[in-house]
Amino acid sequence: HRHLLGIEPLAPADITTLLDLSDQYVDLNRSARKHTETLAGLTQINMFFENSTRTQASFELAGQRLGADVMNMAMQASSIKKGETLIDTALTLNAMHPDLLVVRHPHSGAVDLLSQKVRCAVLNAGDGRHEHPTQALLDALTIRRAKGRLHRLSIAICGDIAHSRVARSNILLLGKMENRVRLVGPPTLMPARIGEFGVEVYEDMREGLKDVDVVMMLRLQRERMDGGFIPSEREYFHRFGLDTEKLAFAKEDAIVMHPGPMNRGVEIDGEIADDINRSVIQEQVEMGVAVRMAAMDILARNLREARARERKVMA
Ligand code: CP
């Protein structure tokens, strides 16, 4: 693959290869050294047209630990504010010869469009409601390390599925790896054409969580609810928030996940989020750095090979 735009084009073997390499980067990150020269001589530009804490910080750290020259574009201060189009911004950056471009954008498909205009590897850091591939990969790594496998698990994804690129990428990835995926939440927050996803749908949390191995909670994405259903926080927590009573329906050793940012007391009880025996939320953040290192390592190898082939053809 030349880019990482989504989970959709990946084969199960691609996912396994990336997670195996990520395991090696977890070890490196836990060591005193934390550093390699894998991306030495390469330039990584991070362009975030939407807010981010985890994804931007971990892509930046991942690039630095791999020895790349890393630049964060300050999009709030950029000429986008003066009316420059996404494509013109991309062409301007392209002229600076980046090797890796990490992009988050509020519109579904914008990152794909941009990838067609530049001569470097593009990594999707989240586009609209479409995909957030590195999030699904870091979730998969967290699950594989906690459960010892990434197949034949029962996984409940709960909350605002309709507006969530995290849910979409996870549904695709977990399905490809032959897991049983349940979606739990109010019907108003389920995507249209849910039947196409090969998942089970539940409106009742207790039924949806019954005997699952993994409980993945999502926040209400109010910024994407344009005038539609917006539940009150109290009512939402009562019916769909993860608390001890509802979690008791899952398997005794079920893990609790959340991609962040988390709204305590809305979709998850703060005590569960902090319970180190159940919650793997901090592990997810740790895995995020390793997965992004692995993804950039693989794409940089592919890029170097493609450029070497081009040079051979030109010679
Ligand atoms: N999980 C996630 O994408 O978090 P950020 O929005 O903080 O990057």
Side-chain angles (χ1 to χ4, degrees), residues 22 73 161 237:
S22 303
M73 287 281 291
I161 315 287
F237 183 70

Side-chain angles (χ1 to χ4, degrees), residues 1 7 9-20 137 177 298:
H1 298 271
I7 297 298
L10 301 184
D14 296 327
I15 294 167
T16 302
T17 301
L18 194 141
L19 297 186
D20 290 347
L137 288 160
M177 305 311 279
I298 292 169

Side-chain angles (χ1 to χ4, degrees), residues 51-56 104 132 135 259-261:
N51 294 340
S52 169
T53 300
R54 282 145 287 269
T55 313
Q56 171 151 15
R104 170 171 288 191
H132 191 352
Q135 179 69 47

Side-chain angles (χ1 to χ4, degrees), residues 9-191:
L10 301 184
D14 296 327
I15 294 167
T16 302
T17 301
L18 194 141
L19 297 186
D20 290 347
L21 183 59
S22 303
D23 272 328
Q24 293 178 32
Y25 281 119
V26 174
D27 293 340
L28 180 77
N29 289 335
R30 288 181 181 178
S31 74
R33 196 163 163 267
K34 295 195 186 74
H35 207 270
T36 70
E37 294 299 317
T38 311
L39 299 188
L42 299 187
T43 299
Q44 173 192 337
I45 300 182
N46 299 332
M47 286 167 78
F48 281 67
F49 295 90
E50 240 186 23
N51 294 340
S52 169
T53 300
R54 282 145 287 269
T55 313
Q56 171 151 15
S58 60
F59 263 118
E60 186 176 351
L61 206 51
Q64 287 173 355
R65 287 185 181 170
L66 292 172
D69 295 319
V70 185
M71 184 183 84
N72 287 307
M73 287 281 291
M75 299 317 298
Q76 303 299 329
S78 75
S79 289
I80 293 283
K81 297 276 175 216
K82 299 176 194 162
E84 187 168 73
T85 66
L86 175 66
I87 300 305
D88 283 334
T89 305
L91 294 175
T92 302
L93 288 176
N94 200 40
M96 296 181 197
H97 299 287
D99 303 289
L100 296 149
L101 210 48
V102 178
V103 187
R104 170 171 288 191
H105 199 279
H107 296 145
S108 304
V111 184
D112 194 331
L113 182 71
L114 193 145
S115 74
Q116 296 166 29
K117 306 286 175 190
V118 294
R119 286 175 44 79
C120 64
V122 175
L123 294 102
N124 182 0
D127 64 324
R129 302 177 190 188
H130 178 228
E131 282 235 36
H132 191 352
T134 55
Q135 179 69 47
L137 288 160
L138 77 87
D139 289 338
L141 184 64
T142 309
I143 294 170
R144 194 173 82 163
R145 291 172 71 98
K147 293 286 159 198
R149 67 179 198 274
L150 188 61
H151 59 276
R152 284 190 290 106
L153 291 168
S154 194
I155 297 156
I157 306 178
C158 310
D160 180 1
I161 315 287
H163 301 101
S164 176
R165 56 197 176 207
V166 173
R168 194 162 182 282
S169 289
N170 264 303
I171 292 165
L172 289 168
L173 190 154
L174 295 168
K176 279 177 197 276
M177 305 311 279
E178 296 182 8
N179 296 284
R180 221 172 117 190
V181 179
R182 298 178 181 185
L183 304 183
V184 191
T188 43
L189 295 178
M190 287 292 161

Side-chain angles (χ1 to χ4, degrees), residues 68 196 207 229 274:
E196 292 170 16
E207 279 176 34
F229 167 76
D274 297 333

